[in-house]
Amino acid sequence: MCGRFAITLPPEAMARLFEAVPGNDVPGGERFNVCPTQTIAVCTAGKGGRRLRGMRWGFLPHWYKTPTDGPLLINARSETVADKPAFRAACRERRCLVPSDGFYEWTREEGKQPLPWFIRRADGEPMVFGGIWQDWEREGESLTTCAIVTCEAGPGMSSIHNREPLVLEREDWGKWLGEEGKGAALLMKPAAEGVLTWHRVGTKVNSNRAEGAGLIEPI
């Protein structure tokens, strides 16, 4: 799964990365511990071209009466995203790209403190997750929300966790966004061997209130 990640690119750089028009609601500043329910930068596509927008990380199905009316849906499994009632319309019509520097995952042994790892691209390029999004509105409250798609972990990553976020290559961004016809389902697979690398980081990141560049430093 993906429950915490880092993003240090300023909004202008993210807009250039995706060749998108940036909105005023895109959060700025270096963020080394992005958590669920926070606003994150998301790239969408439409008739007017690509847009970089701010969205709540935590997908809200249209039947939720309040943002806390059900489980917090930060991830959508690739195996069921096209069929699950909460996600299927968004999977067909509202896919998005989520930029990051990398994400955190934890190994757990019974009776011991969880040990965090930071996973990033081996080539040093920004990591881009495939996601889905939708607008939610109820009784005057409106939110634009998203979830990150996850898939079964590849051979290397599986030693840390059995799931990983869907990491998309630059040449596949247009297809995922629906700009280049159908075929997005073929992209829902683990990152190719050698794309990802990882290192152990300090346990300070176990707290969702922790911040700072030291969180991603190797130990």
Side-chain angles (χ1 to χ4, degrees):
M1 63 175 294
C2 180
R4 226 80 83 63
F5 67 89
I7 176 67
T8 61
L9 288 175
E12 298 80 12
M14 289 187 276
R16 288 195 299 270
L17 178 70
F18 295 123
E19 299 180 350
V21 176
N24 295 327
D25 57 352
V26 180
E30 295 185 337
R31 304 166 71 194
F32 292 93
N33 193 7
V34 179
C35 301
T37 74
Q38 292 181 350
T39 300
I40 62 174
V42 172
C43 177
T44 63
K47 292 182 180 179
R50 294 182 181 178
R51 291 178 57 201
L52 188 69
R53 312 167 58 183
M55 294 188 187
R56 175 192 188 264
W57 183 21
F59 191 95
L60 296 180
H62 65 84
W63 59 81
Y64 276 26
K65 295 179 181 179
T66 70
T68 58
D69 197 32
L72 182 60
L73 305 177
I74 62 170
N75 294 150
R77 295 173 68 93
S78 62
E79 298 89 341
T80 57
V81 66
D83 302 313
K84 197 169 183 178
F87 301 135
R88 61 192 177 198
C91 183
R92 289 194 304 267
E93 304 165 8
R94 295 182 298 278
R95 294 188 297 272
C96 60
L97 304 173
V98 179
S100 76
D101 289 19
F103 65 98
Y104 300 95
E105 196 51 81
W106 283 259
T107 50
R108 293 171 168 83
E109 294 185 30
E110 189 174 353
K112 296 184 179 181
Q113 184 181 33
L115 299 178
W117 299 74
F118 186 66
I119 299 96
R120 59 181 178 82
R121 289 189 63 98
D123 59 11
E125 291 296 309
M127 182 180 286
V128 175
F129 306 136
I132 56 174
W133 69 276
Q134 79 171 12
D135 292 320
W136 175 88
E137 186 170 357
R138 187 64 66 101
E139 297 182 357
E141 184 178 10
S142 61
L143 292 169
T144 302
T145 70
C146 64
I148 293 170
V149 177
T150 67
C151 59
E152 185 176 351
M157 182 66 199
S158 62
S159 63
I160 299 175
H161 198 274
N162 63 352
R163 307 288 297 178
E164 66 180 61
L166 179 61
V167 177
L168 297 173
E169 299 299 324
R170 185 183 294 265
E171 61 267 24
D172 295 325
W173 295 350
K175 183 166 288 186
W176 183 257
L177 290 174
E179 299 170 329
E180 300 173 8
K182 299 181 179 180
L186 300 176
L187 305 177
M188 289 194 267
K189 57 187 178 181
E193 186 174 357
V195 169
L196 303 181
T197 186
W198 46 86
H199 57 262
R200 274 270 288 114
V201 294
T203 55
K204 184 178 178 181
V205 76
N206 288 4
S207 168
N208 59 15
R209 292 189 293 270
E211 255 303 342
L215 297 182
I216 65 172
E217 290 300 316
I219 62 169

